Amino acid sequence: MIYIQAILTLAVIGTGLTILLLVLAYFFARYGTCKVKVNDREPFEVEGGGKLLDALYDNKIFIPSACGGQGTCGFCKTRVLSGGGPLLPTELPYLTEEEQQCGTRLACQVKIRNDIEIQVKAEFLNVKQMVATVSEATMKTGDIREIHFKLQPGETIQFQPGQYVQILVPSKKETVFRAYSIASVPADQDNIELLVRLIPKGQGSTYLHSIQPGDEVTFTGPYGEFILDQDPEAELVCVGGGVGMAPMRSLIRHIAQANPQKKTWLFFGARTTDQLLYMEEFTKLQQELPNFKICYALSEPEKCPDWKGETGFIHLAVEKLLEKNDNPKRQAFLCGPPQMLEAARNTLTQKGFQDCNIFADEF
Ligand SMILES: Cc1cc2nc3c(=O)[nH]c(=O)nc-3n(C[C@H](O)[C@H](O)[C@H](O)COP(=O)(O)OP(=O)(O)OC[C@H]3O[C@@H](n4cnc5c(N)ncnc54)[C@H](O)[C@@H]3O)c2cc1C
Ligand code: FES
């Protein structure tokens, strides 16, 4: 009994001391000035104690951070060569064994406590921060808004269809970014267009649904890894729903302008007709382009008695209409909610797609 009491007393004292040390470290720890070396650039200096992601941002290195530094997207992966401290439990779900072994970390979780040396992808060093003005905004469905932005005079953005930007969301407490796919075409270099679904109480989407023509917005980009095969014979199959239309709209309109012979499919799923996006516009494009085909499908057709198109989940329409084909260059771009993407991925694999040619953006 006396041993148990002693153990409990020690445990209580130990826990108390740990909490005290953490509180003291929080309020009083000073790490002084630390040097941050990025790739082969001259190191820059920061006051220790802050997040690596914020230090990079303050020094105009804009790495992807789609969740705005909350540690929930895994986009801010950065290779830390020295000085990163121990790996944190919050990072583990996003890092493979191999990544952990070669020092990959989440920049939003690493705190700078001493000099640190890191490596980021070379292309991120070219990412710019820009300001754009809202030129037009229209509601396309009950909760999806199409917003056009004009870049400042002389500014241009070079991007690939399928890429995204990160919008800086005004916040008094911290730097908050949210990712939004570019819906416009790369040829239009001084404008960008976004499609934004309003998430109730969502910080970024509420902001983007509140801005008005004439308002200025700050963003960084472009980001994203999808590379469209330019070969007209390398078929592109887009499958998505809801606001997943944004990057598919960029891809299809780009193909219509730059590669109109390219074999392309658009499969778009919605519950009811009021959620269908750009159906008229793409129906017209289908009549103009010889190798472009569309399929819109409703999963709740009983609510829309006038609907004459496909019914059921969109992957079933893919299963029904898409030919099986083993062309190793055939690409798929999927964008929508997770369950839709998983079902579409399985169907496409059965249709002969190689896993490495199926690109999925989940949101
Ligand atoms: C690469 C990429 C591209 C994207 N492109 C687009 C795009 O083109 N258009 C677009 O509208 N969005 C897009 N998103 C999603 C976008 O980045 C935001 O996550 C989304 O707008 C919600 O942010 P928020 O700040 O409004 O909500 P938050 O403040 O982050 O979240 C508020 C609450 O809503 C919940 N929540 C967050 N997202 C959802 C959701 N999708 N459904 C239901 N609940 C949710 C959260 O868990 C939280 O409880 C993209 C995301 C990524 C990673
Ligand atoms: S995990 Fe999203 S920014 Fe780091």
Side-chain angles (χ1 to χ4, degrees), residues 235-240 248 265-267 314-327 330-335 340-360:
E235 185 179 28
L236 174 71
V237 177
C238 297
V239 188
M248 302 194 297
W265 261 108
L266 168 64
F267 288 95
I314 194 64
H315 71 279
L316 299 174
V318 178
E319 198 172 297
K320 179 172 158 193
L321 300 173
L322 193 69
E323 279 172 23
K324 192 164 185 209
N325 171 343
D326 291 330
N327 181 351
R330 211 178 185 204
Q331 290 181 301
F333 188 101
L334 319 181
C335 198
M340 176 188 273
L341 300 197
E342 200 190 323
R345 185 184 280 278
N346 290 339
T347 308
L348 290 166
T349 310
Q350 285 159 24
K351 293 283 177 183
F353 278 78
Q354 297 187 355
D355 208 36
C356 60
N357 287 338
I358 303 177
F359 179 90

Side-chain angles (χ1 to χ4, degrees), residues 53 64-77 94 106-109:
L53 182 68
S65 54
C67 70
Q70 297 174 93
T72 55
C73 70
F75 281 35
C76 62
K77 283 181 189 174
Y94 300 96
L106 296 187
C108 67
Q109 301 299 302

Side-chain angles (χ1 to χ4, degrees), residues 231-291:
D231 179 351
E233 287 303 313
E235 185 179 28
L236 174 71
V237 177
C238 297
V239 188
V243 83
M245 171 57 91
M248 302 194 297
R249 187 161 150 74
S250 176
L251 280 158
I252 291 164
R253 290 194 292 166
H254 170 72
I255 289 170
Q257 286 179 353
N259 201 348
Q261 299 296 323
K262 187 171 169 69
K263 289 183 184 169
T264 310
W265 261 108
L266 168 64
F267 288 95
F268 186 83
R271 285 205 184 104
T272 48
T273 43
D274 55 347
Q275 292 170 358
L276 296 175
L277 285 165
Y278 306 106
M279 191 166 145
E280 219 173 289
E281 181 183 323
F282 286 130
T283 304
K284 191 161 169 283
L285 200 61
Q286 179 177 233
Q287 286 153 8
E288 292 165 11
L289 300 181
N291 296 322

